[in-house]
Amino acid sequence: MRPPCGQPPRPPLPTWQHGGVTAATHSSLFPQVPESADAVLDGLDPEQREVAMALHGPVCVLAGAGTGKTRAITHRIAYGVRAGILQPASVLAVTFTNRAAGEMRGRLRQLGAGGVQARTFHSAALRQLQYFWPKAVGGDLPRLLERKVQLVAEAAARCRIRLDRNELRDVTSEIEWSKVTQTVPADYPAVVAKTQRDAPRDPAEISQIYAMYEQLKRDRSVIDFEDVLLLTVAILQDRHDIADHVRRQYQHFVVDEYQDVSPLQQRLLDLWLGDRDTLCVVGDASQTIYSFTGATPDHLLNFRTRHPNATVVKLVRDYRSTPQVVHLANGLLGQARGRAAEHRLELVSQREPGPDPVYTEYADEPAEAEGTARRIRDLIAAGVPAGEIAVLYRVNSQSEVYEQALADAGVPYQLRGAERFFERAEVREAGIALRGAARAGGNDSLLDDAEGLPAEVRAVLSTKGWTTEPPAGSGAVRDRWESLAALVRLAEDFEQAKPGATLSDLVAELDERAAAQHAPTVQGVTLASLHSAKGLEWDAVFLVGLNEGMMPITYAKTDEQIEEERRLLYVGVTRARFHLSLSWSLSRSPGGRAGRRPSQFLNGLRPGSVALGTRGAAGGGGIERGPGPVVKRGRRGPARCRVCGKTLTDAGEMKLMRCDDCPSDMDEALYERLRDWRAVRAKEIGQPAYCVFTDKTLMAIAEAVPGSAGELAGISGVGARKLDRFGTAVLAICAGETVEEGLGDAVDEV
């Protein structure tokens, strides 16, 4: 049976011997436990089977995205247990997140291998520390500090160094990085200089704060999460009897996501192992995207050097993505440089062909967001669940325009790994400051030298951390600046659309936007940064904002930093199972200079571009191109006010087809009836009112008073889907008829 239009076909179910493998990424909720050890191997492809049967000596599994690495290593452990080669209690599997550890434990239980320990590095170390502390040190283990920020703040205060909240977060992250890279306070400035690391403050100041923080911990008998690893390492190094005890307990180790191991975690792993080589590691150097936290792929890349007799298995059969998506991913890495690139894997899709990736060039950022929202709405209408769609961007501040566009399109969404734009602390603080300045008017000394709305906003936000130049490096300070810079850009666009607008007008606009973006807490399209998308997958992925300066990010200066940005985009591409869209815009705002360029990473991949200095793309050197020329936003004549004829640039004004200042011929009574009806409908479907129609759309309807479906469809904000769903009721209200609750609700789910 063919899937609905737009729905990707699911992976085939036959076993490998019958022409396929069992699904690597989609499994039954309650699978049957295999009857025997040999049955554990059923359904594995040849390389996965080789991993499962390699139970002796060091093993290195190089596993590309979507190749079923977790499947391979869990079947390896289960096969060893079921065959009597491994004792469940003697196996320790470590990974990096509680979610991944929980998934591993669940899969092992389903395979009949309960009792195997699957934990994060920190969880495993903490259990050992709690058990051995009384014997190694005496007394109770010091209290674990859940959040170190407050103690770092006190340390900074004692050093007479003032940090705002975002600087505090960055300095805290820097202390964490120092500890996992085993850098002591006195060495921090030299290490920063040697590694060309962008420090959020003067390295000498951070060194002072770091040293004071460590002193305060000692004074108060508390430890932090990094200390859990450091202290476990210290005990295992100093107490050979305890190290022997641990090694008798755990005789076989499996490490997932090995490319993300820090030097400190590697030191702990070495102590667990001792002089043994009963180790299996799994990783992909092409997915190293967390070097800023201390992660390094060197341990993975050097594994064969450290263990010359290691078995190395490469998993390249991709069960997640279509050949079209995989080909693009291979082409992207084919242009990479550096050591990690030399070990890249050429993926081979095992899925049926799907649609070509779509490359779309837009005139400006709002147009890109609106175009993305339209395409998402079309996919949902074609049968792709909203929860199987994601919009991925480089930095969290990019979410605001997509939150707005999806809200206007009536598409439910959820943010992952970030607060909604108008709920972010710095945005709320900026709103309060702008509101105060608007109330003070000419009495606010901040505005004495500011001429025009954008200058006033820049003056106010300069007290909250905005500067003309962005701060160096990444981190919380940079994130805060990006959010404030987005407000400055909004003020510039607002003033351009409404010459003479005041600070009070802008505050009212911000309030309206904040209210309109209160998305429902329901299953919806995922909005996420590329970093937070690691380990996830969707049927349809939209990679947006792929401009130079954003991808790669502007503060990526060194060759290695540029290559990590490329790997980040590779991770984004390989999140897609079936539909993949890549887009960029030529200018920031409507009417702006079209001086932007698409990401250098797309050279040789997007239609009409040429790769610069390309090494053969991993997959035969082919270049993936879209189905035709670059899809550009249709060129239309400028929207003009139907009252005064002035060119319109504001989205709300274009929806009404008149300037906000021009007289309205809106039927006020009709508008109120439409609002009352909308409130009832929104309650019935369990969605915010704007998901039915926004206020501007209702105003446009009340002004036009459409008498037919065609006239109603011509109003901005009324698409085919909403016309089908609500058109009958709206036309009845416009005709003065009484509408029963539920009229026009042909489909009850959004």
Side-chain angles (χ1 to χ4, degrees):
M1 182 175 177
R2 292 176 61 85
C5 179
Q7 266 301 78
R10 292 302 187 191
L13 293 178
T15 62
W16 172 260
Q17 294 88 340
H18 292 86
V21 296
T22 52
T25 55
H26 296 82
S27 60
S28 168
L29 278 176
F30 303 103
Q32 187 175 355
V33 175
E35 296 179 355
S36 64
D38 287 342
V40 171
L41 302 177
D42 289 345
L44 299 181
D45 68 31
E47 294 78 25
Q48 292 171 345
R49 179 180 285 256
E50 187 175 347
V51 171
M53 298 180 71
L55 295 173
H56 302 287
V59 178
C60 179
V61 182
L62 301 176
T67 58
K69 66 179 180 62
T70 305
R71 176 186 181 83
I73 58 175
T74 52
H75 280 67
R76 177 182 188 271
I77 295 170
Y79 177 70
V81 169
R82 299 289 297 276
I85 300 171
L86 303 176
Q87 296 301 313
S90 72
V91 180
L92 177 59
V94 287
T95 186
F96 286 83
T97 67
N98 289 322
R99 181 183 65 83
E103 179 185 357
M104 195 176 292
R105 286 193 297 269
R107 292 199 191 193
L108 288 169
R109 281 195 302 271
Q110 293 169 359
L111 292 169
V116 173
Q117 292 292 311
R119 297 185 173 275
T120 65
F121 271 100
H122 282 88
S123 173
L126 182 58
R127 278 175 61 104
Q128 294 175 20
L129 198 60
Q130 289 169 332
Y131 184 82
F132 291 113
W133 185 269
K135 179 179 180 180
V137 182
D140 295 329
L141 180 69
R143 179 174 59 87
L144 185 62
L145 195 63
E146 294 291 339
R147 294 182 68 252
K148 58 175 69 71
V149 171
Q150 292 178 337
L151 204 59
V152 173
E154 184 177 342
R158 293 204 178 194
C159 295
R160 304 189 177 216
I161 298 172
R162 185 173 181 178
L163 302 176
D164 65 27
R165 180 170 55 191
N166 289 280
E167 288 176 319
L168 184 58
R169 285 170 53 197
D170 285 346
V171 171
T172 301
S173 297
E174 205 66 7
I175 290 173
E176 292 171 352
W177 174 83
S178 299
K179 297 182 78 165
V180 301
T181 56
Q182 303 176 85
T183 302
V184 298
D187 293 343
Y188 174 78
V191 172
V192 166
K194 182 179 179 181
T195 59
Q196 297 182 299
R197 185 173 178 83
D198 282 321
R201 294 277 299 207
D202 180 351
E205 290 183 336
I206 294 178
S207 177
Q208 278 184 272
I209 297 170
Y210 180 11
M212 180 58 70
Y213 167 75
E214 292 297 313
Q215 182 62 51
L216 290 174
K217 285 199 291 105
R218 287 192 293 271
D219 293 344
R220 296 173 188 182
S221 296
V222 296
I223 60 174
D224 60 27
F225 277 101
E226 289 69 43
D227 289 331
V228 169
L229 300 183
L230 285 164
L231 290 170
T232 305
V233 165
I235 289 175
L236 294 178
Q237 283 182 161
D238 295 342
R239 293 289 300 267
H240 297 294
D241 56 330
I242 292 176
D244 288 341
H245 186 138
V246 172
R247 291 166 191 160
R248 284 195 301 271
Q249 171 69 48
Y250 295 117
Q251 299 171 19
H252 195 95
F253 297 86
V254 177
V255 184
D256 194 13
E257 301 288 1
Y258 194 56
Q259 77 278 352
D260 291 333
V261 165
S262 71
L264 179 56
Q265 290 165 332
Q266 181 62 47
R267 181 65 187 132
L268 177 59
L269 180 61
D270 288 340
L271 288 165
W272 282 340
L273 276 165
D275 58 2
R276 299 168 299 175
D277 61 4
T278 51
L279 171 66
C280 173
V281 301
V282 188
D284 179 8
S286 296
Q287 296 189 67
T288 305
I289 60 173
Y290 297 114
S291 66
F292 58 90
T293 67
T296 171
D298 289 346
H299 305 298
L300 176 66
L301 298 177
N302 293 335
F303 192 85
R304 194 66 179 270
T305 302
R306 294 187 65 188
H307 303 279
N309 62 331
T311 299
V312 178
V313 183
K314 296 181 180 180
L315 301 183
V316 297
R317 301 175 194 268
D318 187 318
Y319 299 99
R320 175 187 299 158
S321 305
T322 63
Q324 288 77 7
V325 172
V326 166
H327 194 56
L328 173 56
N330 285 337
L332 185 61
L333 286 188
Q335 302 180 25
R337 296 288 186 272
R339 191 163 177 233
E342 294 171 1
H343 294 78
R344 70 191 187 279
L345 298 168
E346 179 184 345
L347 299 178
V348 181
S349 175
Q350 305 299 296
R351 299 201 51 180
E352 294 295 321
D356 287 325
V358 177
Y359 300 84
T360 312
E361 182 176 278
Y362 291 95
D364 50 67
E365 284 182 10
E368 184 177 7
E370 291 165 10
T372 300
R374 282 195 301 272
R375 290 202 58 220
I376 288 173
R377 191 173 57 190
D378 292 343
L379 282 176
I380 294 173
V384 181
E388 286 292 351
I389 303 174
V391 178
L392 306 181
Y393 36 74
R394 178 60 180 83
V395 296
N396 285 325
S397 63
Q398 291 173 273
S399 75
E400 188 264 342
V401 67
Y402 291 92
E403 293 176 56
Q404 179 72 54
L406 290 172
D408 287 345
V411 175
Y413 66 87
Q414 55 186 341
L415 268 79
R416 179 180 177 84
E419 296 173 294
R420 295 184 178 91
F421 183 80
F422 284 100
E423 293 174 4
R424 294 172 194 164
E426 63 268 24
V427 175
R428 292 199 304 269
E429 292 171 10
I432 292 170
L434 291 170
R435 189 172 289 105
R439 281 198 299 265
N443 298 321
D444 192 331
S445 59
L446 265 177
L447 307 181
D448 286 348
D449 298 324
E451 295 185 10
L453 177 61
E456 291 178 342
V457 171
R458 286 191 287 267
V460 173
L461 297 189
S462 65
T463 68
K464 298 299 176 183
W466 179 84
T467 55
T468 54
E469 293 296 325
S474 57
V477 171
R478 177 70 186 224
D479 290 344
R480 178 185 179 89
W481 185 90
E482 293 282 4
S483 294
L484 297 178
L487 291 174
V488 171
R489 292 195 298 268
L490 191 98
E492 293 168 351
D493 294 343
F494 190 67
E495 197 271 343
Q496 182 181 5
K498 294 187 175 183
T502 66
L503 207 51
S504 296
D505 295 332
L506 177 65
V507 168
E509 173 72 9
L510 293 176
D511 288 343
E512 184 175 334
R513 283 173 175 253
Q517 289 185 30
H518 182 63
T521 55
V522 297
Q523 176 76 352
V525 173
T526 298
L527 296 178
S529 70
L530 286 162
H531 279 104
S532 64
K534 178 75 165 64
L536 303 175
E537 58 186 83
W538 296 269
D539 284 344
V541 169
F542 290 78
L543 301 174
V544 299
L546 300 183
N547 293 91
E548 282 292 301
M550 191 59 74
M551 178 53 67
I553 197 75
T554 185
Y555 51 76
K557 303 295 186 185
T558 67
D559 289 345
E560 180 48 43
Q561 288 170 339
I562 295 292
E563 287 306 316
E564 183 148 338
E565 292 288 297
R566 187 193 306 276
R567 295 194 294 269
L568 188 57
L569 181 58
Y570 172 80
V571 167
V573 167
T574 55
R575 299 311 94 194
R577 298 190 193 109
F578 194 73
H579 300 281
L580 178 62
S581 175
L582 306 94
S583 63
W584 60 92
S585 58
L586 297 178
S587 69
R588 178 176 57 77
S589 56
R593 185 175 68 86
R596 287 179 161 182
R597 292 180 294 125
S599 169
Q600 61 184 270
F601 300 145
L602 300 182
N603 289 339
L605 302 175
R606 62 183 177 86
S609 66
V610 177
L612 302 177
T614 304
R615 301 189 325 187
I623 293 177
E624 180 66 34
R625 299 191 183 278
V630 177
V631 181
K632 295 192 177 183
R633 195 164 173 248
R635 295 194 173 275
R636 301 174 295 179
R640 299 188 182 278
C641 174
R642 56 189 167 82
V643 179
C644 69
K646 178 182 172 183
T647 300
L648 302 175
T649 56
D650 177 78
E653 291 181 341
M654 287 191 284
K655 187 166 285 191
L656 295 174
M657 291 307 293
R658 65 169 176 81
C659 303
D660 277 345
D661 298 330
C662 285
S664 169
D665 53 356
M666 182 176 72
D667 184 331
E668 295 284 351
L670 173 57
Y671 178 68
E672 290 303 320
R673 290 199 303 275
L674 288 168
R675 282 177 58 87
D676 292 343
W677 165 81
R678 182 183 66 174
V680 173
R681 294 298 300 114
K683 184 176 181 181
E684 287 177 354
I685 64 176
Q687 299 255 347
Y690 70 82
C691 284
V692 180
F693 289 114
T694 63
D695 285 346
K696 292 283 189 180
T697 300
L698 291 187
M699 290 174 66
I701 293 171
E703 288 184 358
V705 193
S708 67
E711 292 175 359
L712 179 58
I715 296 174
S716 179
V718 182
R721 184 168 169 271
K722 289 192 176 183
L723 181 66
D724 290 340
R725 189 171 188 191
F726 305 123
T728 302
V730 170
L731 289 173
I733 294 170
C734 290
E737 300 172 7
T738 301
V739 177
E740 296 179 2
E741 292 185 7
L743 181 60
D745 189 20
V747 182
D748 256 342
E749 293 85 27
V750 173

